[in-house]
Amino acid sequence: QTVVTQEPSLTVSPGGTVTLTCASSTGAVTSGYYPNWFQQKPGQAPRALIYSTSNKHSWTPARFSGSLLGGQAALTLSGVQPEDEAEYYCLLYYGGAQLWVFGGGTKLTVL
Amino acid sequence: QITLKESGPTLVKPTQTLTLTCTFSGFSLSTSGVGVGWIRQPPGKALEWLALIYWDDDKRYSPSLKSRLTITKDTSKNQVVLTMTNMDPVDTATYYCARYEYNRSSLGSYWGQGTLVTVSS
């Protein structure tokens, strides 16, 4: 069974920078996994932030960026705002099996 | 404007079959490169991808649930239907539908509001 792993929780100060990562049990994450990132606040549906590793949606704030780092997908928030406190999920595509797998989520606290 | 909305029962009994409908607007499932997926989230837990149907009627399912899931589309009604058989209390979750875009390799650019399904006798 394929498992996608994220940090369970991270804490960052307002104005700071934080990087969330997304690892695959099958090995290094590459662009071929088309990493997607989502933000979810309590009681709300997830909101898409990043698609295909590093591409932003039209509504994605500039302080969010996606990349590949050390064999993992990464989401970096620069100049964190209090409203960025939320759960963040990554989503990877496994082309061989043609299936999508979400990570377990990272709870980001802004403190 | 793209919107999606899930509908279906809020309460089902164990062993029953769940049928959920996703009604969408702002796009057509007859358009090449478009799809609709289903995702669920148990209370306090992570998101879980369930199924995806493509514009060409190709379908993909989560391996762990494949035997229990069926996804279909009605292009004329702009609807996608998900059925899940043999429901169990562990299937209690909020069920979401979301748009897929092939040219962006993006699943979830737009989401429905979700519908909470409770499985209990």
Side-chain angles (χ1 to χ4, degrees), chain A residues 37-91:
Chain A
W37 289 92
F38 303 89
Q39 177 192 68
Q40 187 180 33
K41 295 183 178 180
Q44 298 182 14
R47 180 178 75 137
L49 294 173
I50 300 289
Y51 65 94
S52 199
T53 304
S54 58
N55 296 279
K56 299 178 186 181
H57 291 281
S58 59
W59 53 80
T60 303
R63 62 184 180 274
F64 291 86
S65 63
S67 64
L68 295 175
L69 284 175
Q72 301 179 57
L75 176 70
T76 299
L77 288 70
S78 305
V80 171
Q81 302 295 308
E83 61 265 29
D84 297 332
E85 184 164 292
E87 193 87 22
Y88 291 84
Y89 291 95
C90 68
L91 174 64

Side-chain angles (χ1 to χ4, degrees), chain A:
Chain A
Q1 181 177 344
T2 302
V3 178
V4 176
T5 302
Q6 301 180 241
E7 298 90 353
S9 63
L10 291 170
T11 300
V12 61
S13 300
T17 297
V18 64
T19 297
L20 289 64
T21 64
C22 175
S24 172
S25 62
T26 60
V29 176
T30 65
S31 59
Y33 287 79
Y34 305 109
N36 284 244
W37 289 92
F38 303 89
Q39 177 192 68
Q40 187 180 33
K41 295 183 178 180
Q44 298 182 14
R47 180 178 75 137
L49 294 173
I50 300 289
Y51 65 94
S52 199
T53 304
S54 58
N55 296 279
K56 299 178 186 181
H57 291 281
S58 59
W59 53 80
T60 303
R63 62 184 180 274
F64 291 86
S65 63
S67 64
L68 295 175
L69 284 175
Q72 301 179 57
L75 176 70
T76 299
L77 288 70
S78 305
V80 171
Q81 302 295 308
E83 61 265 29
D84 297 332
E85 184 164 292
E87 193 87 22
Y88 291 84
Y89 291 95
C90 68
L91 174 64
L92 300 181
Y93 177 66
Y94 292 81
Q98 297 190 45
L99 59 89
W100 295 84
V101 182
F102 280 96
T106 295
K107 180 175 175 58
L108 182 66
T109 300
V110 181
L111 198 59

Side-chain angles (χ1 to χ4, degrees), chain B:
Chain B
Q1 181 185 6
I2 292 173
T3 64
L4 302 96
K5 187 173 184 179
E6 307 85 354
S7 60
T10 58
L11 179 66
V12 297
K13 290 180 167 44
T15 75
Q16 286 186 336
T17 293
L18 171 69
T19 299
L20 294 173
T21 301
C22 176
T23 303
F24 55 89
S25 63
F27 67 97
S28 172
L29 258 182
S30 61
T31 301
S32 179
V34 175
V36 171
W38 284 94
I39 299 103
R40 72 178 179 180
Q41 185 173 38
K45 297 189 177 181
L47 300 167
E48 178 183 17
W49 173 74
L50 300 177
L52 176 60
I53 189 164
Y54 297 88
W55 71 97
D56 60 0
D57 209 36
D58 197 9
K59 302 162 188 176
R60 293 291 179 262
Y61 298 99
S62 168
S64 62
L65 292 167
K66 184 174 183 178
S67 64
R68 299 173 54 205
L69 296 174
T70 302
I71 190 169
T72 60
K73 64 182 176 69
D74 186 330
T75 304
S76 66
K77 294 183 178 179
N78 280 352
Q79 291 181 334
V80 170
V81 174
L82 181 76
T83 62
M84 181 180 292
T85 61
N86 194 24
M87 293 292 285
D88 182 271
V90 300
D91 297 313
T92 294
T94 296
Y95 287 76
Y96 296 98
C97 60
R99 172 181 153 100
Y100 167 79
E101 300 170 48
Y102 175 81
N103 63 349
R104 292 186 168 194
S105 297
S106 169
L107 172 58
S109 51
Y110 295 89
W111 294 66
Q113 64 190 24
T115 185
L116 175 61
V117 178
T118 301
V119 184
S120 175
S121 55

